[in-house]
Amino acid sequence: MAVSSFPQTPSHASTRAVHAGLSREAPFGSATTPLFQTTTFAQRELNGQIVHTYSRASNPTVAALETALSELEGLPFAAAFNTGMSAITTLLLATTRSGDHVVCGDVVYGGTRRFLEQILPRFGVKATFVDASNLDAVSAALRPETKHVIVETPANPTLKVCDIGALSALLSDTGSTLVVDNTFLTSFGQDVVSLGADIVVYSTTKFVEGHNSALGGAVLCADRDLHDRLVHIRKSVGTIQSPNNAWLTLRGLKTLPLRLPRHSNSALAIAEFLLAQPAVAEVHYPWLQGSPGYQVARRQQRYGGGVVAAEFVDGYAGAVQFCQALRLCLLAENLGATETIVTHPASMTHGDVDPTERERLGIRDGLIRISVGLEDPDDIVADISDALEALGPSTRIERHAEEVAL
Ligand SMILES: *Cc1c(COP(=O)(O)O)cnc(C)c1O
């Protein structure tokens, strides 16, 4: 970890985002963090004092990103990884052993679930999936050997909200740590550390980098031993972030405080638009009045977030027709980017979750996820509206009749 880049910490988050990780001693006074696109660092002498040796162990550009993330989250230690999934797997490799147990929210990123369900059990680590918005369910799932409770809020893809403060209180006299995947809101949208998270996890691929340009992940914590273990495993298995992607992520961070409110305001507008559409049975958005997690989401989130989910009356057929009729929005798996991205979780990101379990969790075949981008919200609404019109033949006929009448 590099030392703080600030002579003194600026009080406003957007100022911190612009300057985080940037060293005042950068070569030639470079205004951006230099990109050390190198695998290797030559050593002047054997056994001399060296900071970096080989970029699988550490790299100055990656270290700058770690400093920035740590400053912004308000946690002393950060480790950057080449993907969000490698951040999560490295954390679990560093902290669990055969016989251990993990409790995980039942609605989480598909890859997190796949690792806990299909891979970790081979090493003797078991996972129980529970509704993390139900404290009794979480409490009942805890065992003496439970290492972590892992949650996402709002959760991918149904936007289910859980109460981080209440979970932290529940775990306070147990041996389990609370791990929060804060990918959907970032430190600017949800201060999970103040709410009681012990460990914060990111896919920086999403809102942090924010431009569909670089995969990445991070684990942040206050525990030096844990950080040392993470760095040790990362070096051993090779999951460190690449210098180039670290550089792109640092650049993305600078505008995150500007992007997040734009994503969120547009997302609320789109959620409200969808709510009024007859083809849409249900809309999920944390800040939509009357949604199940509304009170908690208003309390613990600074923004509603950039992701909306909607359920089609016509189920699978409706979702597929809608996705194929879009012209501006991209049909893709990513989220948190400049472009609006529509995903069909049942066939894309959550295709590996058992269909009966998917249904139980509300990841139904008619569910689509919209990551609302930075386009003008009117243009996004127009594209969605045109795609909805393509759904119902009856609507099309009426429209055609109108045109003929004109
Ligand atoms: C995308 C995502 C991940 C995985 O991140 P990658 O960078 O794609 O490996 C983990 N958690 C959440 C909430 C995500 O959205």
Side-chain angles (χ1 to χ4, degrees):
M1 285 285 312
V3 285
S4 168
S5 51
F6 298 123
Q8 74 242 5
T9 307
S11 56
H12 294 96
S14 54
T15 311
R16 290 204 297 274
V18 170
H19 291 273
L22 186 66
S23 167
R24 296 285 154 168
E25 271 91 61
F28 307 108
S30 171
T32 63
T33 301
L35 168 53
F36 289 90
Q37 185 70 47
T38 181
T39 56
T40 308
F41 301 86
Q43 299 174 30
R44 289 189 214 287
E45 52 181 331
L46 274 182
N47 305 318
Q49 250 220 326
I50 40 164
V51 184
H52 302 288
T53 54
Y54 186 60
S55 290
R56 175 157 44 74
S58 67
N59 172 286
T61 311
V62 176
L65 172 62
E66 290 168 342
T67 303
L69 290 171
S70 137
E71 284 172 356
L72 297 174
E73 196 76 50
L75 278 175
F77 303 105
F81 296 89
N82 51 3
T83 66
M85 276 323 301
S86 67
I88 293 166
T89 37
T90 306
L91 171 65
L92 288 162
L93 288 176
T95 52
T96 60
R97 61 175 68 213
S98 180
D100 283 345
H101 174 249
V102 171
V103 171
C104 184
D106 55 7
V107 183
V108 284
Y109 181 69
T112 305
R113 180 142 189 158
R114 182 169 57 221
F115 184 69
L116 288 170
E117 213 160 40
Q118 299 179 19
I119 299 167
L120 215 47
R122 290 204 277 117
F123 301 94
V125 180
K126 297 210 173 77
T128 308
F129 297 90
V130 295
D131 177 357
S133 68
N134 178 343
L135 291 178
D136 293 337
V138 175
S139 178
L142 293 175
R143 303 180 194 165
E145 65 273 21
T146 306
K147 275 272 157 180
H148 303 301
V149 172
I150 304 175
V151 297
E152 274 175 35
T153 182
N156 192 349
T158 61
L159 287 319
K160 182 153 84 172
V161 168
C162 66
D163 187 333
I164 298 169
L167 284 167
S168 165
L170 179 75
L171 299 185
S172 64
D173 47 5
T174 69
S176 314
T177 55
L178 180 61
V179 180
V180 179
D181 182 334
N182 202 20
T183 297
F184 270 44
L185 284 164
T186 78
S187 59
F188 298 106
Q190 183 167 255
D191 183 358
V192 298
V193 177
S194 300
L195 291 165
D198 300 302
I199 299 171
V200 189
V201 174
Y202 283 105
S203 167
T204 58
T205 313
K206 314 297 166 55
F207 291 96
V208 174
E209 192 280 328
H211 294 72
N212 268 333
S213 304
L215 294 166
V219 177
L220 294 106
C221 64
D223 175 349
R224 182 184 294 273
D225 281 349
L226 170 59
H227 179 71
D228 290 348
R229 269 180 288 148
L230 284 169
V231 168
H232 177 247
I233 300 281
R234 183 178 71 175
K235 179 170 83 174
S236 307
V237 300
T239 49
I240 196 171
Q241 178 58 297
S242 69
N244 194 22
N245 282 355
W247 192 91
L248 287 166
T249 308
L250 270 168
R251 185 163 72 174
L253 260 183
K254 290 178 191 283
T255 55
L256 179 56
L258 288 176
R259 289 184 279 113
L260 206 55
R262 166 76 167 200
H263 284 295
S264 298
N265 292 340
S266 298
L268 180 60
I270 282 150
E272 283 168 348
F273 171 80
L274 286 168
L275 206 55
Q277 305 305 311
V280 175
E282 238 179 292
V283 179
H284 308 280
Y285 186 68
W287 275 19
L288 208 52
Q289 230 157 11
S291 86
Y294 180 75
Q295 298 298 342
V296 175
R298 286 306 298 212
R299 188 157 26 88
Q300 77 184 6
Q301 302 179 194
R302 287 197 200 106
Y303 301 107
V307 186
V308 180
E311 178 98 35
F312 282 89
V313 172
D314 282 347
Y316 184 80
V320 169
Q321 275 184 333
F322 172 77
C323 289
Q324 288 172 356
L326 292 164
R327 275 178 295 186
L328 177 72
C329 306
L330 307 179
L331 178 62
E333 293 216 352
N334 198 15
L335 60 91
T338 40
E339 297 78 13
T340 297
I341 295 176
V342 175
T343 310
H344 181 235
S347 65
M348 295 166 80
T349 50
H350 291 70
D352 267 5
V353 180
D354 173 67
T356 332
E357 179 67 355
R358 262 201 326 255
E359 182 73 25
R360 197 182 67 76
L361 300 176
I363 310 172
R364 285 185 274 273
D365 287 353
L367 186 82
I368 54 136
R369 184 186 77 192
I370 306 176
S371 168
V372 178
L374 302 180
E375 303 94 339
D376 190 294
D378 288 348
D379 288 331
I380 308 170
V381 167
D383 191 40
I384 291 175
S385 170
D386 288 350
L388 286 171
E389 268 183 43
L391 279 185
S394 56
T395 328
R396 254 204 324 262
I397 291 160
E398 276 164 35
R399 189 59 171 324
H400 182 67
E402 258 171 47
E403 279 163 10
V404 171
L406 284 172

